[in-house]
């Protein structure tokens, strides 16, 4: 008979240090999450609950074309941002690391937009995309109302997000590049490896753990997008930039249907978890091979 496995013992001082975080995590994340789950089974407004409705909100949700439309727009935003932001962060890090002079200045120039509040970023983006005096129309000699065009509105929100957050990913890749031992490059150089060969067989494999982390963080961040399309376009034109969190906000706080909005939140959380797990599994499986 096998002895029962012993539970790990947490030292008292470690438990005391973890207690404030655990308390805050329980109060401000777990408890609201449980309340949201319970609320999704009720017919509720933002101020009152009128009754238990079982799975009615979920049944209505799966037949709701507005929800599926907002989910498609969210995935479209992910397509426009996740891989481009990862690639741009990697390229920027490689270029900055190769610089002999002005490295800190260029690094700051890439990272500066990221420290701007989202309201300032969207204000700058709105000015650059203005149909009458915007820089983009001046460069392309056009008068296109980019944010009022159903075709171009979401790509423009994506481009503004690229400019805003690429510096964050660049820092991750720069940290990864600096952790690659220089003796690996020296040994490869003695074997005649140069240029792209060094990147393909040394830099890229060594950066794979960082790349997996960046893609995962970027995917989760893009799935949770709300502020940029909400401020820049208000979800329009014709709901072409209305993402899931925007639809949930409208349902809960504009239409005063908190029960249905809670069902949206629960389903969307499951979608985010599934996409994150599958993406992480695929990337780690590819890295293992």
């Amino acid at each position: 008979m096998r002895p029962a496995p012993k539970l790990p013992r947490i030292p008292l001082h470690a438990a005391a240090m973890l207690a404030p975080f655990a308390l805050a995590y329980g109060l401000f994340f777990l408890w609201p999450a449980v309340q949201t789950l319970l609320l999704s089974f009720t017919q509720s407004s933002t101020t009152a609950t009128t009754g238990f409705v079982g799975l009615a909100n979920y049944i209505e949700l799966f037949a709701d074309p507005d929800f599926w439309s907002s989910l498609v727009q969210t995935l479209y935003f992910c397509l426009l941002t996740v891989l481009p932001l990862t690639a741009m962060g990697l390229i920027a890090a490689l270029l900055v690391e190769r610089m002999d002079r002005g490295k800190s200045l260029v690094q700051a120039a890439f990272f500066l937009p990221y420290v701007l509040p989202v309201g300032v970023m969207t204000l700058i983006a709105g000015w650059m995309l203005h149909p009458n005096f915007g820089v983009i129309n001046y460069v392309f000699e056009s008068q296109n109302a980019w944010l009022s065009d159903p075709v171009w509105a979401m790509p423009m929100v994506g481009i503004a997000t690229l400019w805003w957050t690429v510096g964050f990913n660049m820092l991750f890749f720069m940290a990864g590049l600096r952790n690659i031992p220089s003796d690996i490059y020296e040994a490869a150089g003695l074997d005649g490896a140069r240029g792209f060969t060094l990147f393909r067989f040394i830099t890229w494999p060594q950066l794979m753990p960082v790349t997996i982390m960046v893609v995962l963080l970027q995917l989760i961040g893009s799935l949770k997008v709300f502020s940029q399309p909400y401020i820049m376009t208000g979800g329009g034109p014709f709901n072409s930039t209305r993402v899931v969190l925007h639809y949930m906000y409208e349902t809960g706080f504009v239409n005063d249907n908190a029960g249905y909005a809670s069902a949206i939140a629960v389903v969307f959380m499951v979608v985010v978890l599934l996409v994150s797990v599958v993406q992480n599994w695929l990337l780690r499986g590819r890295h293992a091979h």
Side-chain angles (χ1 to χ4, degrees), residues 103-179:
K103 182 183 295 186
S104 298
L105 184 63
V106 176
Q107 182 179 337
F110 272 108
F111 190 71
L112 183 61
Y114 186 72
V115 302
L116 296 176
V118 63
V120 176
M121 183 280 287
T122 53
L123 186 67
I124 295 173
W127 171 75
M128 295 179 70
L129 296 168
H130 196 279
N132 295 327
F133 51 81
V135 175
I136 304 299
N137 276 340
Y138 177 79
V139 171
F140 290 102
E141 297 181 347
S142 67
Q143 290 187 333
N144 195 357
W146 302 97
L147 297 178
S148 300
D149 189 325
V151 175
W152 284 105
M154 185 60 92
M156 290 299 116
V157 174
I159 290 173
T161 304
L162 296 180
W163 165 73
W164 184 37
T165 59
V166 67
F168 183 70
N169 292 341
M170 182 192 71
L171 290 186
F172 278 113
F173 283 115
M174 289 181 68
L177 287 170
R178 292 172 183 177
N179 282 330

Side-chain angles (χ1 to χ4, degrees), residues 180-181 184-189 193 196-207:
I180 301 175
I184 300 179
Y185 289 106
E186 292 170 0
F196 184 72
T197 303
L198 290 174
F199 174 81
R200 180 183 176 187
F201 292 104
I202 297 178
T203 306
W204 179 242
Q206 294 289 324
L207 283 179

Side-chain angles (χ1 to χ4, degrees), residues 1-13:
M1 181 177 179
R2 292 184 178 179
K6 294 182 180 180
L7 295 175
R9 299 184 61 182
I10 302 177
L12 185 61
H13 66 278

Side-chain angles (χ1 to χ4, degrees), residues 82-83 86-87 90 169 172-173 176 203-221 275-289:
V82 175
L83 292 182
T86 305
L90 174 61
N169 292 341
F172 278 113
F173 283 115
T203 306
W204 179 242
Q206 294 289 324
L207 283 179
M208 185 54 73
V210 178
T211 305
I212 292 173
M213 182 187 66
V214 168
V215 173
L216 183 61
L217 291 177
Q218 197 60 61
L219 178 64
I220 294 173
V275 171
S276 302
V277 169
V278 170
Q279 185 251 7
N280 193 41
W281 176 73
L282 288 175
L283 287 178
R284 290 191 181 279
R286 183 183 291 272
H287 177 53
H289 288 84

